Amino acid sequence: MSESHEKLLQQYLSDCQTAKSTADLEALRVKYLGKKGEVTELLKGLGKMAPEERKAVGAAINELKNRIQSSLEESMREVALSEQNEKLNAERPDHSLPGLYPGTGGLHPVVQVAREVADIFLSMGFFMAEGPEIEEEYYNFEALNVPSHHPARDMQDTFYLESGQVLRTQTSPVQIRTMEALKPPLKMIGLGKVFRKDSDITHSPMFNQMEGLVVGENISMADLKGTLVMFVENMFGKRPHRFRPSYFPFTEPSAEMDIQCIFCEGKGCKVCKSTGWMEVLGCGMVNPKVFDAVKYDTEKYTGFAFGMGIDRIAMLRYGINDIRLLFSSDIRFLRQF
Ligand code: DAH
């Protein structure tokens, strides 16, 4: 190799030291071996040489070319590999980064309260019964001793369907369907949606009720009280309660049960409208006319029934004053539960 070839090789080697990327190496390839590259130019110069000189010089240039070429190839392999590693490293997931919050959703406050209420009765040996939301007038009214002149049957209160059926206004028809299907003794609860033409801050055209019914021999008002006191103590804690006389067509006698306001402890506040009491449910001894409708022997069997608004219980429980919040699907409201 001549001195000038040696110089060119040294120049290439020092260029090669500073080449950091495959792009740099490609530029070197063009600079030395490309169409107008320095080595290529040397090869072009061969044509002007005398034949005997050409042989020796040609061999020397070819050796130079081969050395540069194999050096470039090796560098190319190394740099390409390290570039690939760098890329893989950059793409590696960082497991120490904080995770994204998975939107898991949650139970609606009414569902939570419904389950809590149901669990208390199920633990006392009640079973869960079901009935349709589109109900026959007979089950929703007649069989429950609600006569046709009763104001509850007014078009203004009840959603009547063209078929002559109604959207059930209460869960009490579940009592009738259950008694038609089963012989006493029985202890049932029924839970579900009910519908009334009513809408303001304490009324919604759709709301949720839970019904209860116990039938057997020697069932008395004492059983009613014992069961319902046990329920409210489980639900709201031990606190004063009272039964007020009331009226329902399907029970006789009838009562409403109040508990001491859980927000003011009876002192009087906005939630209890300054009465110190919160109404929790309606109840009573099953009217024998209801037993007649389902052909239960009124000489042998007695029973008690109760009904409560689940949404109302949820409102009392959480101190919510507008029932419409419960059905608004407002995520800012629902997140609080
Ligand atoms: N069905 C009644 C209502 O919608 C609630 C009720 C009261 C149910 C007393 C009962 C009961 O079973 O005994 O207001």
Side-chain angles (χ1 to χ4, degrees):
M1 209 186 279
S2 72
E3 207 177 306
S4 65
H5 293 168
E6 187 61 44
K7 230 176 121 191
L8 191 56
L9 182 61
Q10 290 308 322
Q11 183 196 320
Y12 160 77
L13 288 173
S14 93
D15 278 355
C16 196
Q17 298 252 296
T18 58
K20 296 268 183 293
S21 64
T22 50
D24 293 347
L25 289 169
E26 174 59 16
L28 275 191
R29 194 193 61 76
V30 172
K31 180 176 174 190
Y32 291 94
L33 307 177
K35 266 192 198 152
K36 290 180 181 159
E38 305 209 19
V39 177
T40 315
E41 291 300 329
L42 288 178
L43 284 169
K44 282 181 195 164
L46 280 177
K48 292 174 201 140
M49 287 180 185
E52 58 279 14
E53 201 186 356
R54 187 186 302 160
K55 203 175 164 199
V57 177
I61 298 176
N62 268 327
E63 195 201 326
L64 176 65
K65 182 182 169 186
N66 289 340
R67 284 185 66 174
I68 292 180
Q69 193 151 25
S70 62
S71 153
L72 265 178
E73 278 168 12
E74 198 189 316
S75 301
M76 193 65 117
R77 265 196 303 277
E78 277 170 18
V79 171
L81 189 69
S82 80
E83 278 183 2
Q84 191 182 24
N85 281 339
E86 238 168 71
K87 190 164 166 239
L88 287 175
N89 273 332
E91 283 171 1
R92 181 183 302 179
D94 179 354
H95 297 291
S96 69
L97 285 175
L100 295 175
Y101 174 72
T104 48
L107 292 178
H108 191 280
V110 171
V111 174
Q112 287 181 37
V113 167
R115 288 192 183 176
E116 235 178 290
V117 172
D119 279 348
I120 293 171
F121 286 103
L122 294 176
S123 76
M124 289 195 250
F126 284 68
F127 70 87
M128 181 82 86
E130 274 179 57
E133 288 170 11
I134 294 176
E135 187 54 285
E136 306 301 326
E137 258 199 282
Y138 172 78
Y139 289 106
N140 196 77
F141 294 126
E142 253 111 48
L144 287 161
N145 191 36
V146 182
S148 52
H149 60 262
H150 193 283
R153 295 183 70 157
D154 199 300
M155 296 285 286
Q156 298 208 318
D157 299 312
T158 305
F159 289 103
Y160 282 89
L161 304 182
E162 275 171 22
S163 59
Q165 293 161 304
V166 298
L167 296 185
R168 69 178 175 195
T169 60
Q170 47 186 355
T171 45
S172 304
V174 181
Q175 288 184 19
I176 305 296
R177 288 181 175 273
T178 305
M179 288 191 282
E180 277 189 352
L182 300 172
K183 286 190 166 64
L186 60 86
K187 278 159 77 173
M188 61 133 278
I189 52 171
L191 185 63
K193 292 189 174 80
V194 301
F195 307 85
R196 288 181 203 173
K197 287 188 180 173
D198 225 348
S199 189
D200 58 40
I201 74 161
T202 52
H203 296 90
S204 151
M206 184 285 295
F207 56 106
N208 297 276
Q209 275 193 341
M210 206 198 73
E211 192 76 16
L213 172 72
V214 173
V215 185
E217 292 178 46
N218 303 317
I219 298 290
S220 72
M221 196 91 183
D223 298 306
L224 174 155
K225 286 185 77 174
T227 305
L228 296 179
V229 169
M230 184 119 119
F231 160 67
V232 294
E233 283 184 356
N234 266 287
M235 192 70 197
F236 297 100
K238 236 185 164 65
R239 60 183 52 253
H241 63 265
R242 67 181 185 187
F243 287 85
R244 269 182 297 108
S246 186
Y247 171 79
F248 299 103
F250 31 86
T251 47
E252 182 58 38
S254 302
E256 276 167 305
M257 186 180 187
D258 298 338
I259 58 168
Q260 187 190 63
C261 179
I262 62 174
F263 295 99
C264 64
E265 314 247 294
K267 288 184 204 77
C269 68
K270 236 169 76 182
V271 179
C272 62
K273 297 194 184 86
S274 306
T275 62
W277 296 96
M278 310 195 307
E279 183 197 317
V280 175
L281 51 82
C283 57
M285 300 305 293
V286 179
N287 191 320
K289 286 186 183 160
V290 173
F291 282 152
D292 285 341
V294 296
K295 304 192 174 62
Y296 273 14
D297 184 349
T298 52
E299 292 301 314
K300 194 168 171 194
Y301 296 111
T302 50
F304 70 86
F306 53 93
M308 67 189 89
I310 293 295
D311 320 285
R312 225 190 104 69
I313 304 259
M315 289 168 76
L316 295 180
R317 184 66 176 274
Y318 297 120
I320 300 165
N321 52 15
D322 187 341
I323 193 171
R324 292 169 298 195
L325 279 171
L326 287 178
F327 305 120
S328 67
S329 306
D330 186 336
I331 204 76
R332 293 165 305 178
F333 168 75
L334 294 173
R335 278 228 174 94
Q336 300 171 46
F337 302 93

